[in-house]
Amino acid sequence: MPRLGNVAVTRSTLRQQIADALRDEVLAGRLQPGQEFTVKEIADQYGVSATPVREALVDLSAQGLLDADQHRGFRVHEYSPDDFRGMIEARSLVTEGMFHALTHGGAPRLRPDEPRLAALLAGVRRRGEEARRAALAGEVTVLIGYDLRFWRELASAFGNPYLTDFLHRLRVQMWVYVVQHLRQLPDPRGRLWARHTELVDALTEGDTTAARAVLDTYTAYSLSLVEGLTADAAGKGPVRRPAQEDPPARDADTLP
């Protein structure tokens, strides 16, 4: 049974805290795809009753992170390369629709000069700076945390909470697939996308064409990355790394 860390659990938020702790373990790659555990094991780990644990595990199952087995409890969902490609396609269709609505009507235009949006984009840019630093340094766990916050907060600028929630859930699932391969690399520096701030700058300047171009390169980069990682995992030999806009960072002094 994997250790789930030393998260302090309070009775008023048991369900959410347990779900968050387990999600973090999956994203960190410490709970591996296919790994099984029971409600009792998790309840014993936290010293709580089975009810909030079961509720938390059902929540994670609904999010596509766990599979429920009537006789064996729960196991971490195993995503395939085809699943990842499907996620990329779904994300691209949604984001393309969001930009189309912005440029051709059907949605309010982003107004970077509007105080509330300006403050939101400034905060998103700070997340992007941290995500970029983590990506260049190869700090996968740190990157995942900032990356998830970056994209969730950025999506919220479009003003549709349903799209924001959908894209966030999809992004978590994508990281669940990718992280298992990244953890096998001796050095992930140079393998992680790091153009978060360019995207925010384009939106801040009201340049949706440039923003869409950054997202297009991101989509191509993501597909290239996963092809390389899965080929590495299959033992097919060296695979050309996706082109990076910045050289891999080798020490803290080289970070922006």
Side-chain angles (χ1 to χ4, degrees), residues 198-250:
E198 290 183 40
L199 178 58
V200 181
D201 289 344
L203 290 173
T204 300
E205 295 166 4
D207 191 344
T208 55
T209 299
R212 292 171 79 170
V214 173
L215 284 177
D216 287 344
T217 61
Y218 181 40
T219 296
Y221 183 88
S222 298
L223 290 170
S224 178
L225 173 65
V226 77
E227 293 294 341
L229 291 173
T230 52
D232 288 347
K236 295 181 180 179
V239 176
R240 184 181 63 81
R241 295 186 175 193
Q244 276 286 81
E245 297 76 14
D246 299 286
R250 291 303 169 188

Side-chain angles (χ1 to χ4, degrees), residues 109-121 203-206:
R109 284 183 171 273
L110 291 179
R111 295 288 305 275
D113 57 336
E114 195 273 318
R116 183 198 63 82
L117 184 57
L120 187 151
L121 290 176
L203 290 173
T204 300
E205 295 166 4

Side-chain angles (χ1 to χ4, degrees), residues 1-2 4 36-47 53 57 72-74:
M1 176 60 202
L4 301 181
E36 299 176 347
F37 48 85
T38 66
V39 171
K40 184 179 184 304
E41 287 175 325
I42 301 298
D44 289 346
Q45 174 76 36
Y46 283 106
V53 171
L57 296 179
R72 307 189 66 167
F74 293 81

Side-chain angles (χ1 to χ4, degrees), residues 94 97-98 155 158 160-168:
V94 171
M98 294 165 73
F158 287 81
N160 189 321
Y162 298 100
L163 288 176
T164 299
D165 289 344
F166 171 77
L167 290 172
H168 178 71

Side-chain angles (χ1 to χ4, degrees), residues 11-100:
R11 297 187 65 83
S12 62
T13 58
L14 283 176
R15 176 178 183 167
Q16 189 60 52
Q17 285 193 337
I18 293 168
D20 289 346
L22 283 167
R23 185 186 302 108
D24 288 346
E25 293 298 305
V26 173
L27 287 170
R30 290 186 288 270
L31 276 177
Q32 293 289 313
Q35 189 166 345
E36 299 176 347
F37 48 85
T38 66
V39 171
K40 184 179 184 304
E41 287 175 325
I42 301 298
D44 289 346
Q45 174 76 36
Y46 283 106
V48 299
S49 68
T51 299
V53 171
R54 185 176 294 106
E55 292 171 344
L57 296 179
V58 169
D59 288 345
L60 293 179
S61 296
Q63 296 170 28
L65 302 187
L66 302 179
D67 296 320
D69 188 310
Q70 183 176 359
H71 303 291
R72 307 189 66 167
F74 293 81
R75 65 176 176 273
V76 180
H77 184 77
E78 298 183 71
Y79 290 104
S80 69
D82 286 341
D83 289 329
F84 185 84
R85 296 184 193 100
M87 295 174 198
I88 291 286
E89 180 181 8
R91 183 185 69 189
S92 298
L93 288 171
V94 171
T95 54
E96 177 60 27
M98 294 165 73
F99 276 108
H100 181 82

